[in-house]
Amino acid sequence: MSAEATNPGAPIRRRGRPRIDLRRLGRVALLGPVSRDRLPDAIGHVAEAHRAHHPDADLSVLRRAYVLAETSHRGQMRKSGEPYITHPLAVTLILAELGAETTTLTASLLHDTVEDTEVTLDQVGEQFGDEVRYLVDGVTKLEKVDYGAAAEPETFRKMLVATGDDVRVMSIKLADRLHNMRTLGVMRPEKQARIARVTRDVLIPLAERLGVQALKTELEDLVFAILHPEEYAQTRAVLSAATTGADPLTVIAGNVSSVLREAGITAEVLVRPRHFVSVHRVSIKRGELRGTDFGRLLVLVAEDADCYAVLGELHTCFTPVISEFKDFIAAPKFNLYQSLHTAVVGPESEVAEVLIRTHRMHKVAEAGVIALGNPYAADSGAQPAEPADGERADPTRPGWLSRLLQWQQSATDPDTFWTTLRADLAQDREITVFRTDGGTLGLPAGASCVDAAYAQYGDAAHSCIGARVNGRLATLSTALGDGDTVQLLLAEDAASGPSPDWLDHARTPTARIAITGWLDAHPQDQETVQGSRPADRRPGPQPAPSGSAGPGGRTASALVERSDATVRLAGCCTPVPPDDVTGFTVRGGAVTVHRLRCPAAARMEAVGRVPVAVSWGDASECRVTLVAESFGRPRLLADLTEAIAGADAAIISATVEPPSEQRVRHTYTLQLPDAAGLPSLMRAMRDVPGVYDVSRAQHPAAAL
């Protein structure tokens, strides 16, 4: 953690406690032993900030930690020329200002001693207890070791493992990186850029997920200054120019205060300036900036109910911009964030964004998990109990972090781990889906049934053949929404495997790593799997959800000669009576039925696969995939679905591709009560105004 840092460009600071003078502290740190009856002057700022959040905190442990850190680091210097003790002091001050509890601050003061000095973990444990020892050990494990090209991925793998046991480890790491970024100017430009990129790709998303907005926003500005110096300079100039004129947000804030005061609502109304990156994003979105674009109004109240009372008054006394309203109190973000977001029109027609939250919500919004204190200490102050296996459950650990810790164990390749980590951190929203057994699954937004299958069953999901979403049959490619109920259907043949197409629908690292691992281990089965397209296999009207055939080797009215065969209709061409069909035996002994002209059937014949004779039985119900090509117009989708419903067909899944040159492509997978009704259904769809062609699909549809 000895990477150096300096503030590139000295951004305009918000009002508040002045930043500590690190050089002055360094001189104080070198004055030698201090009296035993008072705190060293060098950590006076830390004590002041800590007492502001924890008035009854015992500061004696901080004094002892400082003395040990100062004497241990004495003689060590940073590349910027300051005594090294200034670094742990600055990191501890950052955490103290965010409200971290005493144990975290103690560990922060000592976080470099075990690696950089002769102090041992046992000494830390003897003097400060097992909890501080645990945190210092966790932070020490994040230190750089010589992994060659895999150094950065392996360092962050260790960081995640340590964080999984205690989120306070990550808090110290984030504060450490912030201080290093503040003084990064002493590094070579290429090293500045490398550290900034890693900060952007991993640490900033982790700060966002842990809810530590105060650290995240400053890290974003520092990275912005290094990686985009021209845009940073332009934004800085725009902000400087904006401070010279009248601030319309101040006027609107006064009006809001008057309205709330007249309504009898006790509230604090503040103008909250945007940071550099936020201003830059707004300028890209809106072009020319308005006077109200340089900040937002923050309304702080005492109780949750007061938030909605403030919202009601604002929407009554001002013109609201309804499209800007978001309720993150009823539905908090995955990183603990809660607020009401709205926007109102001011007296001069300016639009002001407003954040409404309680004081407690504001503390958590700024400091995230840091504001939650020690997640393991009981209310009585007792020491946390350690389970027999050495693991401990973190009550503040979000579901996304638990999932991340699970898949990182499977990503043995550093490049795979690094790429997957960055992709997973790019997900900015979570959904919760319900299982039919009463449990829940936490998944990233956009997750499909494939992701749900691997989240619930692990490697057993390789044999999944379909799902029921909210009681209706669905393909594994179906995207899930927040609050959906999902039931995954597994084949009786546990040896069956996933299709490469599943990777197109997998959004979670757990699913992608498991699928990729199976495909790499079974290269000889991929041609077979591609022919049967398990991504679009459905149980259909088979006798059992597992997809097994009934007597005589039949399913969905398709018959084969072998009486013991499991028969499946291929999802790539969805054959229906009276199509000319053929079949191929796939791994596990199942027979997949294809239309005679299906490209997948042609590929299997080309590699020497022997066709199996298939005929149609008496059952009339069938499933088919249709593609409608049309010109874009309003209500087109509604008219098409009405035509489908008029033909007594049920929509199993549907996709609408983005318009291209005013043309739109719709793909529907439909369940028909009788195959004889297919021609009339296609005619009805062609009769919809704007539709110029309806055809049978020749490839699997990625259902939404």
Side-chain angles (χ1 to χ4, degrees):
M1 292 192 185
S2 56
E4 301 304 317
T6 214
N7 188 339
I12 301 170
R13 287 184 46 78
R14 300 172 185 164
R15 281 181 249 167
R17 186 181 291 107
R19 183 174 290 172
I20 197 167
D21 185 339
L22 298 181
R23 293 186 182 276
R24 183 182 65 80
L25 281 186
R27 289 191 293 272
V28 174
L30 294 175
L31 293 179
V34 297
S35 62
R36 295 180 177 272
D37 58 350
R38 65 184 181 89
L39 280 171
D41 292 339
I43 59 169
H45 287 74
V46 174
E48 177 189 352
H50 188 40
R51 276 281 170 84
H53 293 279
H54 304 277
D56 300 326
D58 178 12
L59 301 181
S60 62
V61 66
L62 293 181
R63 180 187 66 81
R64 292 191 291 111
Y66 169 77
V67 170
L68 177 60
E70 189 277 319
T71 54
S72 301
H73 288 296
R74 186 174 297 175
Q76 296 177 353
M77 308 296 287
R78 303 191 83 209
K79 291 184 179 179
S80 55
E82 299 154 343
Y84 192 83
I85 188 62
T86 60
H87 173 64
L89 276 172
V91 172
T92 306
L93 178 60
I94 291 169
L95 293 169
E97 289 181 327
L98 291 173
E101 37 76 52
T102 308
T103 302
T104 302
L105 300 185
T106 304
S108 175
L109 282 168
L110 301 170
H111 77 268
D112 277 338
T113 55
V114 172
E115 187 200 6
D116 294 341
T117 75
E118 296 181 356
V119 175
T120 66
L121 277 174
D122 290 338
Q123 289 176 307
V124 172
E126 290 171 3
Q127 295 190 41
F128 301 98
D130 291 340
E131 198 70 9
V132 173
R133 182 189 191 280
Y134 189 90
L135 295 179
V136 172
D137 184 35
V139 178
T140 302
K141 288 178 179 177
L142 308 184
E143 292 307 309
K144 277 283 179 66
V145 292
D146 187 12
Y147 289 101
E152 206 67 69
E154 288 298 336
T155 297
F156 282 98
R157 185 195 293 271
K158 292 168 64 179
M159 176 180 64
L160 294 170
V161 172
T163 299
D165 290 335
D166 197 319
V167 293
R168 291 174 294 175
V169 173
M170 178 60 71
S171 302
I172 298 172
K173 173 64 179 178
L174 289 171
D176 173 81
R177 178 54 63 98
L178 175 57
H179 180 243
N180 285 336
M181 288 294 295
R182 284 176 176 174
T183 56
L184 202 61
V186 298
M187 296 288 189
R188 299 187 309 274
E190 58 272 18
K191 189 168 185 179
Q192 290 186 36
R194 183 185 66 80
I195 294 174
R197 281 192 294 269
V198 173
T199 303
R200 177 196 63 193
D201 294 342
V202 177
L203 284 178
I204 287 176
L206 282 172
E208 167 74 16
R209 292 201 169 200
L210 293 174
V212 193
Q213 292 296 319
L215 298 186
K216 178 213 167 199
T217 53
E218 187 172 352
L219 284 172
E220 282 185 328
D221 285 350
L222 293 166
V223 168
F224 184 42
I226 293 172
L227 298 183
H228 306 282
E230 294 182 2
E231 292 89 339
Y232 177 83
Q234 293 171 0
T235 305
R236 183 180 178 84
V238 169
L239 278 169
S240 298
T243 59
T244 59
D247 184 5
L249 280 175
T250 303
V251 177
I252 299 176
N255 294 338
V256 169
S257 296
S258 299
V259 166
L260 298 180
R261 189 164 49 251
E262 291 173 4
I265 301 174
T266 302
E268 184 179 1
V269 182
L270 306 171
V271 175
R272 185 178 178 82
R274 291 184 184 273
H275 63 292
F276 282 78
V277 171
S278 180
V279 171
H280 179 64
R281 288 170 181 160
V282 172
S283 67
I284 293 175
K285 178 181 177 181
R286 296 178 181 165
E288 184 177 352
L289 292 172
R290 304 168 300 193
T292 54
D293 287 336
F294 295 96
R296 293 182 286 190
L297 298 186
L298 175 62
V299 181
L300 299 177
V301 293
E303 304 291 340
D304 290 12
D306 294 337
C307 294
Y308 293 97
V310 169
L311 180 71
E313 290 297 325
L314 293 182
H315 283 195
T316 300
C317 301
F318 298 88
T319 302
V321 182
I322 300 301
S323 61
E324 297 292 329
F325 173 67
K326 297 180 182 68
D327 188 346
F328 294 118
I329 295 178
K333 289 187 176 182
F334 60 84
N335 60 1
L336 312 176
Y337 178 86
Q338 288 183 289
S339 279
L340 295 179
H341 289 204
T342 189
V344 297
V345 180
E348 302 296 329
S349 300
E350 315 97 332
V351 176
E353 297 181 34
V354 186
L355 310 177
I356 308 168
R357 59 179 72 142
T358 65
H359 292 278
R360 170 64 178 169
M361 291 175 191
H362 182 58
K363 182 178 180 181
V364 174
E366 290 292 291
V369 296
I370 297 176
L372 301 180
N374 184 349
Y376 308 104
D379 293 339
S380 61
Q383 287 294 318
E386 291 280 349
D389 60 3
E391 296 293 328
R392 41 190 209 172
D394 184 347
T396 70
R397 187 168 83 190
W400 63 265
L401 185 53
S402 297
R403 294 194 303 273
L404 192 150
L405 289 165
Q406 290 171 4
W407 68 252
Q408 68 85 23
Q409 297 175 357
S410 304
T412 55
D413 176 62
D415 290 335
T416 300
F417 165 74
W418 187 244
T419 302
T420 310
L421 171 64
R422 292 173 60 180
D424 189 55
L425 291 176
Q427 303 286 343
D428 61 353
R429 193 168 66 85
E430 280 196 342
I431 62 172
T432 299
V433 298
F434 296 91
R435 294 161 26 186
T436 52
D437 61 4
T440 60
L441 297 173
L443 298 169
S448 67
C449 292
V450 171
D451 300 300
Y454 283 95
Q456 182 170 350
Y457 293 113
D459 288 345
H462 292 330
S463 62
C464 197
I465 59 170
R468 291 183 182 272
V469 178
N470 301 325
R472 301 196 58 161
L473 291 172
T475 64
L476 290 178
S477 57
T478 301
L480 298 169
D482 200 21
D484 282 348
T485 298
V486 61
Q487 176 187 6
L488 286 314
L489 308 175
L490 303 183
E492 290 182 353
D493 177 16
S496 60
S499 160
D501 295 333
W502 289 17
L503 292 172
D504 295 335
H505 314 301
R507 297 292 178 268
T508 59
T510 301
R512 297 188 64 83
I513 291 173
I515 295 167
T516 302
W518 190 95
L519 294 175
D520 290 344
H522 301 82
Q524 72 279 5
D525 294 320
Q526 292 189 38
E527 185 67 32
T528 298
V529 172
Q530 287 172 348
S532 60
R533 299 288 189 180
D536 287 276
R537 289 199 308 251
R538 308 170 180 84
Q542 299 176 35
S546 64
S548 60
R554 62 179 289 169
T555 183
S557 75
L559 306 175
V560 297
E561 295 177 355
R562 291 172 46 202
S563 61
D564 61 341
T566 298
V567 182
R568 300 167 179 161
L569 298 181
C572 52
C573 55
T574 56
V576 300
D579 291 340
D580 294 329
V581 290
T582 185
F584 293 90
T585 302
V586 297
R587 190 167 60 86
V591 174
T592 303
V593 179
H594 295 262
R595 292 166 66 189
L596 201 56
R597 296 186 299 275
C598 175
R603 285 199 303 270
M604 283 189 279
E605 277 199 271
V607 296
R609 304 294 297 279
V610 179
V612 176
V614 181
S615 61
W616 293 112
D618 298 330
S620 58
E621 189 177 70
C622 68
R623 182 170 295 187
V624 65
T625 299
L626 299 179
V627 177
E629 313 248 8
S630 62
F631 297 104
R633 67 170 178 83
R635 286 193 52 81
L636 174 62
L637 182 60
D639 291 344
L640 270 170
T641 54
E642 184 178 348
I644 293 170
D648 294 328
I651 299 177
I652 304 302
S653 62
T655 61
V656 180
E657 298 179 12
S660 175
E661 297 181 353
Q662 299 300 315
R663 297 183 181 183
V664 183
R665 180 185 175 94
H666 303 247
T667 305
Y668 298 94
T669 298
L670 308 173
Q671 188 81 20
L672 278 69
D674 192 330
L678 179 58
S680 60
L681 168 63
M682 296 176 69
R683 283 195 299 270
M685 293 175 67
R686 289 191 188 103
D687 289 340
V688 172
V691 176
Y692 58 84
D693 189 25
V694 176
S695 60
R696 298 275 295 280
Q698 294 295 327
H699 53 81
L704 294 177

